[in-house]
Amino acid sequence: MSNILPNSLIRKLGANPLFDEQAFIDIHENGERQSSIRINEKKITTAPFAHAEPIPWCDRGFYLVERPSFTLDPLYHAGCYYSQDASSMFISHIIQHLKLDGEPLKALDLCAAPGGKTTLLNSYLHPQSLLVANEIIKTRVPILMENMVRWGNSNVVITNNDPSAFRRLPGYFDLVLIDAPCSGSGMFRKDSGAIDEWSEANVKLCSERQQRILAEAMGCLKTDGILLYSTCSYSQEENEDIADWLVKEYGLKSIQIPVREEWGIEETKSDISTCFGYRFYPHKVKGEGFFITAFVKTAFQETFNRKKIKPEKSDVPNGIIEHWLNNASTHTAFLHHENVHIFPKDYETDLKILQNVLYLKNAGTNIGKLAGKELIPAHGLALSTAIKANFPTLELTLEEAQNYLRKENIDPEHNLKNGWTLVTYKNVKLGWIKILANRINNYYPKESRIAYL
């Protein structure tokens, strides 16, 4: 038995004759971990670190030789990549296998913070999709919002609601991802504190919570819609048993996802309904513990009447967004506390629907604040993938870029005219400065500034 891992967990996992108990214990006790990132294909096209190795089930994911200081890397703050465990990136393989990227759809990430799976969905679904990222816990919403600002796309709505709120959206979503709160055994290597908190009683409690979350959210998934359910737990009660419960209660059909033997991913089948599940063990893959299962909803689901909802007329002056955006005609603009937000025009009615039934924390991209007929550009506009390419830019060195991210004064050499200017690092946009006659004002958000390390 292990000196650090719960013996009751080891005994249960060891009941499977194919489970390599000693290898599992060794990988947890040697303390080694594998860092990995997933790139934002709209900002960079390859890993920004030397000797990065592709992750086999994610074509934009890379293993790193060593974990860098992401905090000091300007490209991280620019939204060029997200530091994410490789196991979780398997969701991209599911999306591509099910061809969920083939046409626009409406998707919900129900338990979204800090945003790893949300940014993945935002990258891999069709670019004209609508993505709702909900976080149940209020204090976790700011990090989700910050990560989505970095990612740079305007087709995301961020909400802060209990799962029961989504009962008011019957049959609305084509895809629902529920990365459920769990007992956390898959994170033992990442967070040693999770070992002390783990217990069989907590596994039971988590299983009951997972059932409640799923029960509340199931009505918002349309007939023939896709449900992805995942945890970072090794316990059958939170994984395969939940799959059996879903089939019994909600008329779902399990979906098998192809995996290659050399990937080291273990395909399982639940005891009652033989639902397919996919387990990731750190002694078999270069990643943390993870479980995921996929379903199609075969039961009939009623939907609400969209025709009664009418979008409101924009209160943003004509010409504002045309000056700042590429393809401005594909966006609508609206005011929220003097801030101008842009949102995909195709989803104006959907935005009104969501406003009527959910508590919204953000919709689309905040591009700036109105000052008369002028726009004071926001940080979100600088990182937006929709910004025009013809604004003045000032390329910074690494040291200058880090000072900019600390919101310090910067004084690089330049011959630019006075006015709003985008600062860049390795030709990637970091944020705004305003060049004046005798100084440069740094407009990096003070709440996002980095500290000295």
Side-chain angles (χ1 to χ4, degrees), residues 128 154 321 325-332 343-347 386:
Q128 294 175 22
S154 63
I321 66 173
L325 302 181
N326 277 324
N327 302 318
S329 61
T330 63
H331 287 86
T332 187
F343 196 73
K345 198 171 187 65
D346 289 344
Y347 292 109

Side-chain angles (χ1 to χ4, degrees), residues 306-351:
R306 295 173 55 92
K307 295 181 180 179
K308 295 181 180 180
I309 307 295
K310 301 295 182 183
E312 297 178 358
K313 186 177 179 181
S314 174
D315 46 9
V316 176
N318 291 333
I320 287 287
I321 66 173
E322 286 83 355
H323 175 73
W324 297 91
L325 302 181
N326 277 324
N327 302 318
S329 61
T330 63
H331 287 86
T332 187
F334 62 93
L335 279 178
H336 180 65
H337 301 313
E338 297 184 339
N339 292 314
V340 178
H341 288 243
I342 58 169
F343 196 73
K345 198 171 187 65
D346 289 344
Y347 292 109
E348 282 184 285
T349 300
D350 294 273
L351 179 57

